[in-house]
Amino acid sequence: MENEEPLISVVLPVYNVERFLKRCVDSVENQDYKNLEILLVDDGSTDSSGTLCDDLARKDHRIVVIHKANGGISDARNCGIAQAKGKYIAFVDPDDEVDLDYLSYLYSLIIQFKCKMSLCSHRILHEKSGKLVNLGNKTETLLSAENCIEKMCYHNLVDTSVWGKLYKTSLFHEIVYPRGKKFEDMGTTYQLFLKSKTVACGFNPKYTYHIRDNSITTGPFHPSKLDLLEMTDRMARDVVHCYPDLKNAVLRRQVYARLSTINQVLSADDEYLLIRGQMIRFVKEHRRQVLLDSRAPFRDKLAIILLSIGVPVYKFAWNTYCRFAK
């Protein structure tokens, strides 16, 4: 594509990723969509990531490096958004990588469906085993915000991730990522769906998400992982206010968030027993609605039934699953 195409800003929040950064930046630099600015936001890295950012910028005039004090991934993304010059903006996590037509594909969807936001599917690479899982069904369609959020709540093709999407930069006017919070995408992506009103969806994998040990999702439990509940409940309140018919969909996502977090604290210290009890009570209080919801996944329903029998049974089943899933 020639430079008459609009400028796309690509924001990479960088923090202590010296091992992966060049691989990621290479995949962005080599895009077949050339009219880019690549914003490397060094969020107070304590390894050589900041120096590597500067080295990369000297070799490509499209790279802009922003060095800042550590404020977390949301703060880094917000900083990148504030300095982005592009008409459109995309995000890539610095330990992942993207296909060479990642941006051109997302942009083509926006042009084809005449909207302000697009998304694609992704593939998951388990770095330890080398297992690669492609997601998506290779269809392309235009969805309303309501349909997008409903699919997101049921884990049906649409996900909450910041990446894997192209946004008109103006969508971020008055929308910011929640500073200091984990699972910030859960608290923000639905807002962008609502503001965009329609979303161009291309369910072809163009983004490779790397799963490593000790990532946010796979690492040991930390109290910050409870942010998932706060972000999900905020999403639920806002969505039901706009779309009352999505009450069952957002409830399913709230129950899922509890089940996911319960799995994290099953073997955690006794100090989390009270929190675990609160989450279990929430699941039990709402189990009937989820069990009767034909769109709720079978795994959710099985987990609810096992948890209703008792924590020891649930813990045994979860640990058995984890052993065979490795």
Side-chain angles (χ1 to χ4, degrees):
M1 290 190 179
E2 300 297 332
N3 281 2
E4 65 264 17
E5 301 292 356
L7 181 68
I8 294 178
S9 300
V10 186
V11 177
L12 279 72
V14 175
Y15 181 72
N16 291 357
V17 285
E18 58 185 4
R19 289 173 51 206
F20 317 106
L21 184 59
K22 189 175 186 307
R23 177 189 68 193
C24 178
V25 173
D26 282 349
S27 74
V28 178
E29 283 185 297
N30 292 321
Q31 290 294 295
D32 60 11
Y33 191 107
K34 300 301 182 185
N35 194 19
L36 308 177
E37 68 165 357
I38 304 167
L39 298 160
L40 304 182
V41 185
D42 171 29
D43 190 39
S45 296
T46 57
D47 65 0
S48 64
S49 295
T51 301
L52 180 55
C53 287
D54 293 332
D55 291 342
L56 292 168
R58 280 191 284 271
K59 298 173 184 175
D60 190 333
H61 70 277
R62 298 174 301 170
I63 295 178
V64 178
V65 180
I66 304 165
H67 296 287
K68 61 181 288 296
N70 181 254
I73 192 168
S74 289
D75 196 50
R77 288 193 179 118
N78 291 335
C79 181
I81 293 166
Q83 299 202 37
K85 296 186 176 80
K87 182 177 180 179
Y88 296 95
I89 191 166
F91 301 88
V92 179
D93 281 356
D95 49 354
D96 296 333
E97 57 193 306
V98 292
D99 291 5
L100 300 185
D101 62 344
Y102 171 62
L103 294 171
S104 62
Y105 180 66
L106 288 170
Y107 178 66
S108 71
L109 290 169
I110 283 179
I111 297 304
Q112 177 185 350
F113 291 106
K114 299 179 175 61
C115 56
K116 298 177 181 178
M117 180 176 174
S118 63
L119 62 82
C120 66
S121 295
H122 64 281
R123 62 184 68 85
I124 300 172
L125 176 61
H126 298 264
E127 291 194 347
K128 191 172 183 179
S129 65
K131 181 181 178 182
L132 185 68
V133 180
N134 283 298
L135 303 179
N137 62 8
K138 299 184 179 180
T139 62
E140 296 178 354
T141 187
L142 181 70
L143 294 179
S144 67
E146 182 177 8
N147 287 339
C148 253
I149 292 170
E150 184 177 38
K151 284 181 171 293
M152 180 191 79
C153 286
Y154 285 114
H155 284 93
N156 179 13
L157 293 173
V158 177
D159 59 57
T160 64
S161 63
V162 178
W163 41 260
K165 298 171 179 67
L166 182 65
Y167 315 81
K168 201 166 186 179
T169 306
S170 59
L171 288 175
F172 284 94
H173 180 62
E174 297 183 343
I175 293 179
V176 296
Y177 290 100
R179 192 177 191 272
K181 296 291 184 180
K182 303 291 187 186
F183 306 99
E184 70 289 342
D185 46 4
M186 175 57 75
T188 311
T189 298
Y190 76 93
Q191 296 184 55
L192 294 158
F193 287 155
L194 291 172
K195 196 167 182 180
S196 182
K197 295 185 170 48
T198 58
V199 181
C201 302
F203 298 118
N204 290 288
K206 300 293 181 180
Y207 187 105
T208 302
Y209 173 61
H210 289 249
I211 291 185
R212 297 177 288 110
D213 291 341
N214 296 319
S215 68
I216 291 175
T217 52
T218 61
F221 181 77
H222 185 275
S224 63
K225 291 192 175 185
L226 295 172
D227 289 347
L228 176 61
L229 307 185
E230 178 186 346
M231 296 293 104
T232 304
D233 290 349
R234 180 186 301 174
M235 178 276 295
R237 289 192 299 269
D238 290 349
V239 168
V240 170
H241 177 75
C242 296
Y243 302 118
D245 289 345
L246 293 187
K247 180 176 66 174
N248 287 340
V250 298
L251 178 61
R252 180 268 156 179
R253 191 77 195 212
Q254 287 176 286
V255 168
Y256 170 83
R258 267 75 183 179
L259 291 171
S260 178
T261 310
I262 287 168
N263 295 340
Q264 293 276 326
V265 299
L266 280 174
S267 301
D269 297 336
D270 290 344
E271 63 183 297
Y272 300 113
L273 285 177
L274 177 61
I275 295 171
R276 189 180 79 179
Q278 292 170 345
M279 291 188 290
I280 291 173
R281 281 194 295 276
F282 184 96
V283 172
K284 289 183 175 180
E285 286 170 7
H286 300 284
R287 59 188 170 189
R288 178 176 173 80
Q289 294 100 306
V290 179
L291 289 173
L292 293 176
D293 185 350
S294 61
R295 298 192 63 181
F298 172 75
R299 65 177 184 271
D300 287 14
K301 296 179 180 181
L302 178 60
I304 290 169
I305 292 169
L306 292 170
L307 194 59
S308 298
I309 295 171
V311 172
V313 172
Y314 182 87
K315 185 175 181 179
F316 174 80
W318 173 249
N319 289 338
T320 301
Y321 168 81
C322 290
R323 282 199 301 272
F324 283 100
K326 288 182 178 179

